[in-house]
Amino acid sequence: ELGPDCTKFAVGDVVYTSLDHMEYIVDDEDSLLIKIPDDVDPAQASLFGVASVAMHDVRRAEVQLGDKVLVVGAGPIGQFTAQAARASGAHVTVVDLDAKRLELAAQCGADVTIQITGDETWAGPVRDAGMFDIVFEDSGADVFKFIIGVGWGDGCIRERGKVVVIAGRDDVVYKFNSGQGKEVAILQASHFNNSDLAEVSSRLSNFC
């Protein structure tokens, strides 16, 4: 059912909305919702919200062709972040504690996957895979000491690299002098918007 002033949708359209899951809803046509393209399975569209968060993060970081990107945490948002970064032309490394999550990341196009088994993994395989232009911290763990470092020469982010803080947390703690020495940019990313949602929908439709 449509209101008299609705111009973007028609009766019978299948739409994605970011509202809570319920049988009936009332929503404004300018809120976070979009018509699902006819060639996209609604089951796939159910993940539009998670994918749009990742798309927003990648656009916020201004990922470019050839960037070396590290995604920390291979949960749902981390998985989509890796895919969106790859679609933007980046070389993507994904790290996580869980081997199965890393297998999925590799299947979805991650160039390199590394299982974190201890602090030595950061100093060895992760650092060897860097230095990274952009790091997406999607895990919520206390890992800034490994990303930015605790001294002038450690960490895995390059000079003037970007660390994008995604997962929810109360505090972010890192060694200021390490960040200062590299002139690291700390970026925060908020929720997705309609343009992110439209980009995800368009890319999936073109893929299908």
Side-chain angles (χ1 to χ4, degrees):
E1 184 177 342
L2 299 175
D5 298 323
C6 182
T7 59
K8 297 180 180 179
F9 300 96
V11 173
D13 285 347
V14 179
V15 301
Y16 166 86
T17 175
S18 62
L19 291 179
D20 293 338
H21 294 202
M22 57 187 70
E23 186 174 2
Y24 298 102
I25 61 170
V26 177
D27 203 0
D28 187 281
E29 68 174 345
D30 292 321
S31 65
L32 283 175
L33 76 163
I34 192 170
K35 180 183 182 299
I36 299 173
D38 294 336
D39 54 358
V40 172
D41 187 334
Q44 295 175 319
S46 67
L47 294 174
F48 270 9
V50 178
S52 294
V53 170
M55 180 63 70
H56 182 83
D57 300 340
V58 168
R59 297 169 86 183
R60 173 80 173 90
E62 299 180 331
V63 175
Q64 298 180 11
L65 181 68
D67 280 342
K68 293 189 69 173
V69 166
L70 174 65
V71 177
V72 182
I77 292 178
Q79 296 282 358
F80 280 116
T81 299
Q83 293 174 44
R86 278 273 289 143
S88 299
H91 180 279
V92 178
T93 298
V94 181
V95 301
D96 198 278
L97 300 171
D98 191 308
K100 290 185 177 180
R101 288 183 173 189
L102 294 173
E103 289 175 10
L104 178 59
Q107 292 170 12
C108 292
D111 297 288
V112 179
T113 61
I114 300 172
Q115 185 175 12
I116 302 296
T117 57
D119 292 359
E120 65 278 1
T121 311
W122 290 95
V126 177
R127 185 175 169 86
D128 292 344
M131 304 294 274
F132 294 99
D133 300 294
I134 303 170
V135 177
F136 292 93
E137 207 307 276
D138 286 319
S139 72
D142 181 19
V143 294
F144 289 89
K145 57 189 174 185
F146 303 118
I147 296 170
I148 299 174
V150 295
W152 291 94
D154 50 7
C156 61
I157 189 82
R158 70 163 178 81
E159 289 187 5
R160 297 193 176 184
K162 303 172 186 176
V163 180
V164 190
V165 186
I166 309 304
R169 67 201 80 208
D170 292 324
D171 299 293
V172 171
V173 179
Y174 67 95
K175 293 292 185 181
F176 180 83
N177 285 345
S178 298
Q180 179 189 42
K182 297 175 183 176
E183 295 188 331
V184 170
I186 307 292
L187 302 179
Q188 291 183 258
S190 186
H191 201 51
F192 66 92
N193 56 39
N194 277 313
S195 66
D196 302 314
L197 189 56
E199 185 69 17
V200 167
S201 177
S202 174
R203 292 200 182 203
L204 182 57
S205 180
N206 291 336
F207 180 79
C208 294

